[in-house]
Amino acid sequence: MSNILVVDDSSSLRSMVSFTLKQQGHSVTEAENGRDALSKAQTGRYDLVLTDVNMPMMDGISLCTELRKLPTFKFTPILMLTTESSADMKQKGKTAGATGWLVKPFNPDTLLSTVKRVIG
């Protein structure tokens, strides 16, 4: 299965997302903010990044921008999982290189079908 990086400053949300993904056989690495995620991304290989937008240290949009600069993340799907649903914020995400947008509270079935769609 896939190796997925889950980034959120809420430990309970990270746990729920990780649990959902692990039940489907995915391997999950958790990061608590964009900076933590970026350092893990520089040392690991991931098939997908699932990130919140609003986080301390480095937000999800900045993380997306930074990941796209790394050769190993040029084509890696990056999904935003956030309470933000404004067209303006989605556009910022797209501009930064986000592949898709999921609005919290997350629905496990929607999450899994979206993950399946972007990484097969």
Side-chain angles (χ1 to χ4, degrees), residues 16-115:
M16 286 189 300
V17 171
S18 293
F19 178 77
T20 301
L21 294 168
K22 285 176 181 172
Q23 276 193 310
Q24 295 298 309
H26 298 288
S27 168
V28 177
T29 300
E30 295 182 16
E32 60 191 38
N33 59 55
R35 193 177 294 161
D36 182 26
L38 189 59
S39 81
K40 287 177 174 160
Q42 288 166 332
T43 57
R45 285 208 40 86
Y46 300 97
D47 303 299
L48 171 70
V49 178
L50 199 54
T51 183
D52 186 13
V53 170
N54 299 311
M55 297 178 289
M57 311 282 214
M58 180 190 285
D59 64 49
I61 304 285
S62 303
L63 171 62
C64 196
T65 302
E66 292 305 310
L67 286 174
R68 289 296 181 218
K69 292 178 184 172
L70 302 173
T72 49
F73 282 88
K74 210 173 182 67
F75 303 108
T76 303
I78 301 172
L79 296 175
M80 300 299 204
L81 177 62
T82 178
T83 53
E84 296 280 352
S85 59
S86 71
D88 179 51
M89 194 53 89
K90 287 181 179 177
Q91 189 52 52
K92 283 182 180 164
K94 236 184 213 126
T95 303
T99 311
W101 203 271
L102 294 164
V103 179
K104 291 177 187 171
F106 91 98
N107 171 315
D109 295 333
T110 305
L111 174 69
L112 293 171
S113 66
T114 304
V115 165

